[in-house]
Amino acid sequence: HSTHAKQVRGAPPKCSAYFFLFILTSRRPIVLSEMVNIVFGGMLSDKDIIRMCKKHSMIYPFEETSIRSKSAMDGGGKSISYGPAGYGYDLRLGSEFKRTRSDLPPGTVIDPKNIDENNYETFVSNDPVLIPPGDTLYGCTKEWLMLPDSIQALIVGKSTYARVAVSQIATPINAGFSGSVVLELTNTSMYPVKVYPHEGIALITFMRAPIWN
C-alpha cells in the first residue's frame, strides 16, 4: 500500500513549504514580483525572462537589451528589433527555409498524415528572402529554446510584418521543450514581400504554472 496521503484535487500540496525551501536553497536575492510569480504562476515580464535566461539558458543566443540596428560587422544600418520586449522576447529569423515546390503536377494533394518530403525544397539564405503573393515560406527561429518543466510559451507575429500582410504562425510550445521553433510565414498581400534572416520575426511570451500545479 502507498504510504502517501491522498491529495484532494485542486488543493495546494503544502505550497508554503515548497516555496520557503526554494528561498532557502536559492543562491541569489528573490524579489517580491518573482516570489508572486513563482507561487501563483502567470506571464513572465522582460525582467523575469532576463533572470530565467541567465539562470537556465532558456533562450540562446540571448540579448539583455532590445537590438534595433546591425553591427558594423554586418554592415550597419537599421534592423527589425529583437531581444526583450515588455512581457515577451522578440526572436530572430534563422537562415534555413523550406517551401512547397512550384512544379508539382496538377492534382497533387498534400496529406498532413503522410508528408512527402519530395513536395518541398529546402535552402539556406543569409540574404532577404522573397515570398510571392499568396505563397507560404517555412522558416525557423535563430534562437534555441530550452524551457523548464514549469514554463510554456506562445508565439505571435510582429507588427512590422503584420503591416505588410505577412502572417506568422507557430504552434504552442510545451513546457520542457528544447529546440528552435518552426514558423509558417504566409504572404497574404498581392505583392512580393521580403523577410530578413538574423532580424526580428516574432514575439514569444512565457507562462509559468503555479507552484502547486
Side-chain angles (χ1 to χ4, degrees):
H1 298 285
S2 174
T3 58
H4 295 286
K6 186 176 181 181
Q7 180 183 328
V8 178
R9 182 176 291 276
K14 299 181 180 179
C15 168
S16 58
Y18 291 144
F19 179 54
F20 286 113
L21 178 62
F22 171 83
I23 293 177
L24 290 173
T25 57
S26 177
R27 297 181 180 179
R28 60 189 176 79
I30 306 297
V31 298
L32 180 60
S33 62
E34 189 175 6
M35 290 182 186
V36 173
N37 192 279
I38 291 171
V39 175
F40 296 104
M43 184 175 289
L44 301 188
S45 70
D46 54 349
K47 294 180 181 179
D48 295 325
I49 293 169
I50 291 171
R51 281 193 291 266
M52 290 294 295
C53 288
K54 287 183 175 180
K55 183 177 181 182
H56 299 290
S57 298
M58 191 168 65
I59 302 172
Y60 180 83
F62 173 72
E63 299 289 346
E64 288 191 41
T65 59
S66 180
I67 306 298
R68 299 176 181 274
S69 59
K70 297 180 181 179
S71 66
M73 184 179 298
D74 293 326
K78 184 178 179 181
S79 172
I80 299 174
S81 63
Y82 59 92
Y87 278 73
Y89 187 95
D90 283 326
L91 299 172
R92 285 174 286 181
L93 181 63
S95 57
E96 298 179 1
F97 299 95
K98 175 190 280 189
R99 65 181 3 142
T100 305
R101 288 173 48 191
S102 59
D103 59 350
L104 295 179
T108 298
V109 175
I110 306 295
D111 184 355
K113 294 174 66 176
N114 186 24
I115 296 293
D116 184 352
E117 291 298 331
N118 292 323
N119 291 336
Y120 301 91
E121 59 177 346
T122 59
F123 61 97
V124 174
S125 177
N126 293 305
D127 298 319
V129 178
L130 276 180
I131 308 179
D135 201 3
T136 296
L137 178 71
Y138 302 96
C140 60
T141 59
K142 181 171 183 174
E143 289 79 6
W144 187 273
L145 304 181
M146 289 173 282
L147 301 190
D149 291 336
S150 60
I151 292 180
Q152 181 158 326
L154 293 173
I155 285 183
V156 295
K158 283 180 67 69
S159 60
T160 302
Y161 284 111
R163 287 193 289 267
V164 293
V166 172
S167 65
Q168 305 123 75
I169 300 175
T171 57
I173 305 168
N174 293 328
F177 171 84
S178 178
S180 58
V181 181
V182 175
L183 301 170
E184 175 190 309
L185 309 172
T186 301
N187 178 6
T188 63
S189 75
M190 297 183 294
Y191 306 97
V193 177
K194 289 181 179 180
V195 293
Y196 290 83
H198 311 297
E199 299 189 25
I201 187 66
L203 174 77
I204 186 170
T205 58
F206 300 93
M207 284 72 66
R208 191 199 304 267
I211 197 170
W212 58 78
N213 189 39

